[in-house]
Amino acid sequence: MKGPLFYSKILLFGEYGIIKDSKGLSIPYNFYNGALKVDENPSEEAKKSNASLRKFVSYLEQLEKDQSELVTFNIDVLKADIERGMHFDSSIPQGYGVGSSGALVAAIYDKYADNKITVLENLTREKLLHLKTIFSQMESFFHGKSSGLDPLNSYLSIPILINSKDNIEATGIPSQSTNGKGAVFLLDSGIVGETAPMVTIFMENLKDQGFRTMLKTQFIKHTDACVENFLGGDMKALFENTKKLSKVVLSNFKPMIPEAFHGIWQRGIDTNDYYLKLCGSGGGGYILGFTEDLEKARQSLKDYKLEVVYHF
């Protein structure tokens, strides 16, 4: 048995900001994917995933009891499949900010939810928000607090524009330029990041008035501008605003940037060869990079593995 594939995602802009109503832009990333499956001879990895699904199903039972008007599942079939050894077979790296738990949540909803909303129907804002709320509750099992965006992106496999908490829409993004020099890339920090502790640090920082002011007057302002520039295809302005955003993140989100990368982050700002930003909650995993000249960025970062996500 093998279910349909669900892809990883990349939040190009909006990490942390969307908690405080900034704009955001999330795109599917088809390089990684996962599917529910049952193997005859499960690997150790498969057994671990199966054990995690057992805990998840208890959580979903409780969710159904508490919020039956939100979502219900065919729990009996789900339990029977887990008994048969079902696991989530995934190439999506965990703790890398590309939505490993989001793809799993999407797969479970797709296969076991009752009256599910599908990508084939007219996706009104109400339906998108309803899906996002369901996914937020489901994914909270893994992160403690989830926006529901990762599973939403994985489930629908289309770019999603976040205007604010209560205003999201499916969107188109400018088509990639195959011969363009510019690119968005992923830089592997080589460290696994944990989402929950990073979100806790952010929530603690929010208690500080200065941090809240910086968030509103700089971080959110630049994030919103980046989203508008990207969707509008204004690359000159996009790189100017990404540079500003990169500076603000380095100054105010240090705990979320692995220490070994503080210097590399600054070097990008100083040389303009590339600009780095957080990919997901940070603390490890991937770092997102933007460059107007991919070859220059590759030279500058020759000790690191770069994965291109999007060509300008």
Side-chain angles (χ1 to χ4, degrees):
M1 172 199 124
K2 189 161 168 113
L5 288 178
F6 290 90
Y7 296 109
S8 51
K9 66 83 214 166
I10 289 174
L11 185 61
L12 277 186
F13 300 104
E15 68 295 329
Y16 292 109
I18 54 176
I19 297 176
K20 299 306 285 176
D21 258 3
S22 79
K23 282 187 186 293
L25 181 64
S26 181
I27 61 170
Y29 182 44
N30 299 355
F31 189 72
Y32 297 118
N33 57 57
L36 291 167
K37 67 186 282 203
V38 175
D39 288 332
E40 291 304 308
N41 298 308
S43 64
E44 279 313 304
E45 203 55 35
K47 287 176 186 164
K48 259 186 5 208
S49 167
N50 178 264
S52 166
L53 281 176
R54 282 170 194 271
K55 292 185 190 135
F56 189 37
V57 79
S58 311
Y59 174 84
L60 294 179
E61 272 188 295
Q62 194 54 49
L63 175 64
E64 203 179 77
K65 278 195 191 101
D66 297 344
Q67 303 192 48
S68 56
E69 72 296 335
L70 180 67
V71 64
T72 59
F73 301 93
N74 194 333
I75 293 279
D76 293 341
V77 175
L78 173 53
K79 279 185 166 168
D81 286 344
I82 290 172
E83 279 309 314
R84 283 170 50 220
M86 183 175 76
H87 64 281
F88 191 59
D89 181 32
S90 166
S91 66
I92 307 170
Q94 291 188 350
Y96 262 65
V98 286
S100 53
S101 57
L104 166 59
V105 165
I108 294 282
Y109 175 84
D110 179 65
K111 188 154 195 236
Y112 301 100
D114 300 322
N115 311 315
K116 65 180 186 188
I117 295 168
T118 75
V119 70
L120 300 171
E121 56 198 89
N122 176 19
L123 287 169
T124 60
R125 185 184 298 173
E126 285 65 38
K127 283 181 185 168
L128 280 173
L129 280 172
H130 187 64
L131 261 179
K132 182 172 171 286
T133 307
I134 292 170
F135 288 147
S136 157
Q137 294 296 324
M138 288 175 72
E139 200 185 27
S140 292
F141 169 77
F142 299 98
H143 292 323
K145 184 173 169 45
S146 156
S147 69
L149 257 175
D150 287 5
L152 184 65
N153 204 293
S154 190
Y155 181 63
L156 299 174
S157 216
I158 48 180
I160 292 171
L161 169 64
I162 303 106
N163 293 304
S164 66
K165 267 200 203 73
D166 306 322
N167 181 351
I168 57 176
E169 57 187 294
T171 187
I173 57 174
S175 53
Q176 300 200 47
S177 151
T178 39
N179 52 4
K181 285 169 72 174
V184 181
F185 60 86
L186 292 173
L187 180 64
D188 188 345
S189 72
I191 306 161
V192 173
E194 288 275 335
T195 298
M198 294 297 127
V199 173
T200 305
I201 292 171
F202 178 74
M203 290 307 193
E204 272 304 304
N205 287 345
L206 279 180
K207 293 175 182 168
D208 177 71
Q209 179 61 50
F211 187 83
R212 287 202 304 276
T213 304
M214 173 281 303
L215 206 64
K216 200 166 147 193
T217 59
Q218 296 175 47
F219 186 77
I220 289 177
K221 183 179 145 200
H222 302 327
T223 297
D224 288 0
C226 285
V227 171
E228 280 160 25
N229 299 156
F230 184 85
L231 290 178
D234 185 347
M235 294 309 148
K236 187 175 180 298
L238 174 69
F239 283 104
E240 285 168 9
N241 285 309
T242 306
K243 180 176 186 174
K244 289 174 185 165
L245 187 58
S246 187
K247 281 182 177 168
V248 170
V249 172
L250 184 59
S251 302
N252 299 281
F253 289 79
K254 277 243 167 56
M256 286 75 168
I257 304 171
E259 211 157 302
F261 287 83
H262 290 184
I264 294 158
W265 200 289
Q266 185 64 53
R267 192 169 76 214
I269 294 165
D270 293 342
T271 60
N272 297 316
D273 286 353
Y274 56 86
Y275 306 125
L276 300 180
K277 63 183 288 300
L278 296 172
C279 179
S281 54
Y286 285 119
I287 293 165
L288 206 50
F290 286 72
T291 179
E292 288 183 89
D293 187 334
L294 183 58
E295 279 320 301
K296 229 184 218 176
R298 280 195 200 280
Q299 272 310 106
S300 261
L301 296 162
K302 60 180 184 297
D303 301 335
Y304 299 91
K305 204 172 95 218
L306 268 52
E307 273 174 43
V308 175
V309 173
Y310 186 92
H311 278 284
F312 294 119

